[in-house]
Amino acid sequence: MSVRPTLVLDDVDRTHGSGETAVHALRGVSLTVSAGELVAVMGPSGSGKSTLLNVAGGLDAPTGGKVLVDGHDLHALTRPRLDALRRRAMGFVFQDLNLIPSLTAIENVSLPMELDGVSLKRARAAARDALGKVGILELADRFPEHLSGGQQQRAAIARALVGERRLVLADEPTGALDSTTGDAVLRTLRDQCDDGAAGLLVTHESRHAAWADRVIFLRDGVVVDATGEAATPESLLEV
Ligand code: ADP
Ligand code: MG
């Protein structure tokens, strides 16, 4: 296990707009996620959960504070280096799936590796492995429009997990899934973290947060309870 945390948010602010209409989506958020750890993020709608994930993945820039991934300050990197770090080290699962409609499931999953210079053969083998883990290997050659919502979700998860992703960011990844498939997806995410990835999972369901090592709660852009007794997965299960 690495000594250096995979993800560090240090006193991060994110303000949208300015003046009277400014929205403080994140205020002074500090958070560390180490290799092997899965952290769940919970909080009401509009509390800043998606903003937190976007900032952690370098898709959105903080207006204050720092974000480090594997020790790299994301906003000190040049654009090409940030893109390369994202492709190589990070996996994203969004609420809207962002599968590319003109590519088959396996092409969607292997694309990040191919873009990163991995040989087609190796990228496709890794993609097959990832599709197998989420249980849709037999659908590898289908286009997204010929997959159900749940199958598309699983393809998106496979894409986020393919290769050696060290940081996996998932924003309500089980939204479109029935509970059995949702549990399978959570198990896959948990396995990836047990294999050494760091994970950040936004979820509304305490049943899913219970897969995490820690739960943080956001309210109006502030972490309201990062570690206390009330925030352990076990205590959530008891409620
Ligand atoms: P959550 O995911 O918890 O529902 P979000 O991170 O999406 O919350 O949003 C946090 C706050 O920031 C909300 O008040 C939202 O309206 C606002 N917000 C998010 N993105 C933008 C944006 N691009 N421009 C302006 N306000 C935004
Ligand atoms: Mg959200």
Side-chain angles (χ1 to χ4, degrees):
M1 219 158 263
S2 77
V3 180
R4 193 168 62 184
T6 306
L7 172 67
V8 177
L9 271 69
D10 181 13
D11 201 18
V12 165
D13 292 317
R14 177 61 171 113
T15 302
H16 297 288
S18 60
E20 296 270 293
T21 57
V23 177
H24 300 284
L26 295 175
R27 294 187 284 175
V29 172
S30 292
L31 170 68
T32 296
V33 188
S34 298
E37 234 187 347
L38 178 61
V39 175
V41 182
M42 302 188 82
S45 180
S47 59
K49 304 181 299 295
S50 294
T51 303
L52 176 66
L53 250 68
N54 290 340
V55 164
L59 299 169
D60 190 6
T63 43
K66 265 189 193 171
V67 180
L68 306 180
V69 173
D70 275 345
H72 300 282
D73 179 346
L74 292 190
H75 300 284
L77 296 176
T78 60
R79 186 74 216 195
R81 288 199 59 208
L82 175 61
D83 289 345
L85 181 68
R86 284 219 307 258
R87 279 200 306 271
R88 201 165 295 159
M90 304 186 203
F92 298 90
V93 189
F94 298 106
Q95 276 165 308
D96 49 356
L97 303 168
N98 292 316
L99 290 174
I100 299 171
S102 59
L103 298 180
T104 63
I106 194 165
E107 288 167 349
N108 265 283
V109 174
S110 65
L111 182 67
M113 300 187 78
E114 289 173 45
L115 287 173
D116 207 33
V118 173
S119 74
L120 186 63
K121 197 173 163 201
R122 275 189 54 209
R124 290 296 161 90
R128 262 193 299 280
D129 189 47
L131 288 169
K133 278 188 193 164
V134 296
I136 55 163
L137 183 55
E138 72 283 7
L139 306 176
D141 296 320
R142 291 212 192 163
F143 290 94
E145 66 176 319
H146 295 128
L147 297 171
S148 70
Q151 291 162 349
Q152 289 184 33
Q153 195 92 345
R154 291 203 243 181
I157 303 259
R159 184 184 53 187
L161 300 181
V162 74
E164 295 180 10
R165 305 303 180 79
R166 295 187 297 280
L167 176 61
V168 179
L169 303 166
D171 198 347
E172 302 191 46
T174 57
L177 304 178
D178 61 75
S179 65
T180 310
T181 314
D183 288 349
V185 162
L186 263 297
R187 184 177 297 278
T188 309
L189 185 58
R190 180 70 258 179
D191 286 348
Q192 188 82 356
C193 292
D194 290 342
D195 286 345
L200 203 50
L201 163 73
V202 172
T203 180
H204 281 308
E205 294 185 56
S206 39
R207 196 167 58 86
H208 289 157
W211 288 86
D213 300 295
R214 270 188 298 137
V215 183
I216 64 163
F217 294 95
L218 279 178
R219 186 175 299 276
D220 297 331
V222 177
V223 177
V224 288
D225 190 355
T227 52
E229 285 281 310
T232 63
E234 292 78 12
S235 71
L236 281 168
L237 272 182
E238 284 161 16
V239 202

